[in-house]
């Protein structure tokens, strides 16, 4: 574990160098421990793949004082990978066609049928490692290695919100419309950012995403329900065993 200053109002706590679930478990365990520290002048805690960034008020605590307290909290934090409950967010996806313009090209690239690409993609529970790039954009781990494909050589100028893409060994969902170079294989009608919700961001680091296929007709039905604010996202807790 390494603690370094990050500008004059934050510190970076590095808990590993490889992107693994074990390392991310440590990141989230320490995130939880710090979240309950009410006596520290912490403003915000931002988890990522291997690093926890802690923003604090330097007028109340120096870097060295904060570092000493963080080391103590680290020593007192349990990083045991025992069985625990995990939050699963279910996202419907319409694969291919206008919703997934790169699906057939990806299938050809990896050497399997389109139907198998869909099955492989929807047959995983994806860990939300971090939120970044765009507001609410989840970087998801757990993609089947057989679906790995580099980013497009020429990015698109406009990728619609909800687009589900693959880039390298990762999959993700465009939370808002944006330029982008990921291989787009489908789209979800569920907004990842919605200001009508009490918590506008649908996903958080440490949660899991489970995709399931819907056809275009069902996509439009869900989209209409979302627009009328009557659709309820499936979000539940399941028990995961130690991995």
């Amino acid at each position: 574990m390494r603690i370094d200053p990050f500008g004059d109002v934050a510190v970076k706590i590095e808990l590993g160098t490889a992107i693994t679930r074990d390392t991310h478990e440590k990141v989230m365990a320490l995130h939880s421990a710090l979240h309950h520290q009410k006596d520290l002048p912490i403003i915000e805690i931002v988890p990522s793949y291997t690093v926890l960034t802690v923003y604090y008020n330097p007028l109340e605590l120096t870097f060295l004082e904060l570092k000493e307290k963080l080391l103590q909290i680290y020593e007192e934090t349990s990083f045991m990978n025992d069985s625990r409950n995990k939050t699963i967010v279910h996202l419907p996806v319409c694969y291919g066609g206008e919703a997934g313009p790169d699906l057939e090209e990806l299938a050809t690239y990896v050497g399997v049928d389109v139907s198998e690409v869909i099955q492989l993609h929807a047959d995983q529970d994806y860990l939300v490692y971090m939120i970044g790039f765009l507001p609410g954009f989840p970087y998801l781990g757990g993609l089947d290695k057989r679906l790995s494909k580099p980013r497009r050589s020429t990015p698109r100028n406009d990728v619609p919100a909800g687009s589900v893409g693959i880039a390298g060994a990762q999959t993700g969902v465009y939370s808002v419309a944006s330029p982008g170079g990921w291989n787009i294989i489908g789209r979800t009608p569920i907004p990842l950012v919605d200001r009508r919700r009490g918590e506008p961001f649908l996903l958080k680091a440490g949660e899991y995403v489970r995709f399931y296929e819907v056809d275009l007709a069902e996509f439009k039905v869900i989209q209409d329900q979302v627009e009328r604010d009557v659709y309820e996202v499936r979000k539940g807790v399941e028990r995961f065993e130690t991995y």
Side-chain angles (χ1 to χ4, degrees), residues 10 44 48 67 89 97 120 126 128 132 147 149 173 188-189 196 234:
E44 186 178 9
S48 61
K67 182 177 181 179
V89 180
L120 289 172
Y126 296 97
V128 181
L147 297 182
K149 185 179 186 296
V173 184
T188 179
R196 295 175 299 179
R234 289 172 56 196

Side-chain angles (χ1 to χ4, degrees), residues 226-241:
V226 167
E227 291 175 355
R228 292 187 288 113
D229 199 21
V230 296
Y231 184 84
E232 185 173 348
V233 177
R234 289 172 56 196
K235 191 171 186 176
V237 176
E238 295 184 13
R239 191 167 183 80
F240 276 50
E241 299 303 322

Side-chain angles (χ1 to χ4, degrees), residues 152-159 179-182:
R152 291 171 52 85
S153 57
T154 303
R156 290 185 171 88
N157 292 326
D158 186 21
V159 178
W182 290 43

Side-chain angles (χ1 to χ4, degrees), residues 73-166:
I73 294 169
Y74 175 83
E75 293 297 330
E76 296 173 352
T77 300
S78 172
F79 296 105
M80 294 294 292
N81 259 347
D82 53 358
S83 298
R84 65 190 68 190
N85 293 330
K86 300 290 186 182
T87 299
I88 304 286
V89 180
H90 300 257
L91 292 181
V93 177
C94 180
Y95 289 95
E98 292 185 7
D102 298 323
L103 178 61
E104 291 188 6
E105 181 180 333
L106 185 140
T108 300
Y109 179 87
V110 301
V112 300
D113 294 336
V114 165
S115 60
E116 188 171 354
V117 170
I118 296 172
Q119 180 180 353
L120 289 172
H121 188 262
D123 194 34
Q124 304 289 332
D125 288 332
Y126 296 97
L127 172 62
V128 181
Y129 273 102
M130 61 178 284
I131 303 294
F133 168 50
L134 298 168
F137 183 103
Y139 284 86
L140 306 175
L143 181 70
D144 191 299
K145 294 180 180 179
R146 288 171 287 181
L147 297 182
S148 178
K149 185 179 186 296
R151 297 168 184 261
R152 291 171 52 85
S153 57
T154 303
R156 290 185 171 88
N157 292 326
D158 186 21
V159 178
S163 294
V164 178
I166 289 175

Side-chain angles (χ1 to χ4, degrees), residues 29-111:
L30 189 56
H31 177 278
S32 178
L34 291 177
H35 183 72
H36 292 90
Q37 296 293 321
K38 304 303 182 183
D39 60 331
L40 292 179
I42 293 176
I43 298 171
E44 186 178 9
I45 310 169
V46 182
S48 61
Y49 290 111
T50 61
V51 172
L52 199 62
T53 303
V54 179
Y55 292 85
Y56 69 103
N57 185 347
L59 298 179
E60 297 186 28
L61 208 64
T62 67
F63 164 71
L64 292 178
E65 290 171 335
L66 178 61
K67 182 177 181 179
E68 182 179 350
K69 290 183 178 294
L70 291 175
L71 287 170
Q72 180 181 351
I73 294 169
Y74 175 83
E75 293 297 330
E76 296 173 352
T77 300
S78 172
F79 296 105
M80 294 294 292
N81 259 347
D82 53 358
S83 298
R84 65 190 68 190
N85 293 330
K86 300 290 186 182
T87 299
I88 304 286
V89 180
H90 300 257
L91 292 181
V93 177
C94 180
Y95 289 95
E98 292 185 7
D102 298 323
L103 178 61
E104 291 188 6
E105 181 180 333
L106 185 140
T108 300
Y109 179 87
V110 301

